[in-house]
Amino acid sequence: MSILYDFHLHSEFSADSETPMEEMVRKAETLGLQGMCFTEHLDIDAPPDPLGSDFTFLDFEAYFTKAAALRTQHAGKIRIGNGMEFGMLPHLSGELSSLNQNYPFDFIILSQHFVDGMDPYFPEYFSDKSEREGYEKYFRTEYECLRQFDPKDYDTLGHMDYIVRYGPHRNQNYTYQAYSDYIDPILHHLIDHGKCLELNTGGYKYGLGEPNPCTDIFRRYRELGGELITIGSDAHKPEHLAYDFGRAAAMLKSLGFRYYTVFEQRKGRQVKL
C-alpha cells in the first residue's frame, strides 16, 4: 500500500461513531500506517437529527486529552493528529476562526452536509425536487458556503460530491460533465487559494465504484493545475480504515498525481504516492 496516512477518521467523539480511539489506532498500526488524523464531526447549527445524533457538540477538552495520551502510548509507532470535520453553513465562518484560535488543530476539513436545513443522507431532501435539481442545489450551496470561509481557517474540502452517495439513483446518471458548470467554480476556488481537494474512499465503501469526488473531477482538477490532494477513508469503524487505498493510489497515479499532502499543526507536507 503506497498511501500510509489516513486523514479522515471518526471515533467515539463523533456523533455517528461509537468506536474508541484506541481501537482505531491499533488497527492503523496493524495496517502499517505511518500516520493518522482524527477529524471529528462538528456541525454547528445543524437541524435536529432524525436518528437522534447531536452533531452540534464536540467535547474538545476530552478529545485532545485522550489523543495526547494515545500519542504518548504509541510514540515511535505512529503519528496521531487532532483534526476536525467542520460542517459548512454560510454564517459559521467566524465560529471556525474562533475555534482555530482556541485549539491546536493539526488539520481541518470543510464539508457540506446540509442544504436548506436538510441532509441529503435522508430521502426527504429529494421529496420536493428531482435528482438533478437536488444535485445542482448541493453544488451551488457548497460553492457559496466555501466562499464565506477564510482560506487560512481550513486545509481541504471533504467529499466534494457527498450527495451522490444518497441520491435516488446515486451516481447512475451523475458525471462531472453533466454538472461541470457547478463543479468548476469550486475547483477554481480551491486552486486559487492553495487549498487541497480530498480524495475520500468512502465512495468505494458505499459501492459507487468511485471515490468522492469521482475520478473525472480529479482529472479536471489536474487539468486546471490542481496538485494538492488529501486522502481519507472517512472510517467510523476500524474495518474501514485505509479503505481501498491501493485503488485510490492507482487512480491518482494514472492521472499524473505523484504526491498527497499530510498536515501537522496546520502545516502541509507532501508525501510521495
Side-chain angles (χ1 to χ4, degrees), residues 23 33 48 126 134 266:
E23 289 189 19
L33 295 185
F126 293 96
R266 302 290 315 288

Side-chain angles (χ1 to χ4, degrees), residues 62-111:
Y63 170 44
F64 276 89
T65 297
K66 188 159 189 179
L70 287 169
R71 273 192 291 274
T72 299
Q73 294 169 20
H74 296 265
K77 299 176 183 177
I78 190 168
R79 298 172 71 175
I80 303 169
N82 280 103
M84 176 175 59
E85 182 180 10
F86 191 84
M88 288 191 289
L89 290 174
H91 61 286
L92 293 180
S93 60
E95 297 279 357
L96 182 55
S97 292
S98 295
L99 288 168
N100 273 324
Q101 293 172 17
N102 292 325
Y103 297 101
F105 297 111
D106 290 297
F107 176 59
I108 295 176
I109 301 171
L110 279 188
S111 293

Side-chain angles (χ1 to χ4, degrees), residues 1 32 39 49 69 85 89 99 106 108 118 126 130 132 160-162 164 181 207 212 219 235 239:
M1 185 169 64
T39 51
D49 184 83
E85 182 180 10
L89 290 174
L99 288 168
D106 290 297
I108 295 176
M118 291 181 285
F126 293 96
S130 68
R132 172 85 195 188
M160 177 182 168
D161 58 5
Y162 161 86
V164 304
D181 288 348
N212 296 116
R219 179 176 287 107
E239 56 263 37

Side-chain angles (χ1 to χ4, degrees), residues 145-165:
C145 282
L146 196 60
R147 292 177 61 199
Q148 304 305 314
F149 283 79
D150 191 324
K152 69 177 174 55
D153 284 328
Y154 69 96
D155 303 302
T156 197
L157 176 62
H159 48 51
M160 177 182 168
D161 58 5
Y162 161 86
I163 192 169
V164 304
R165 296 179 182 176

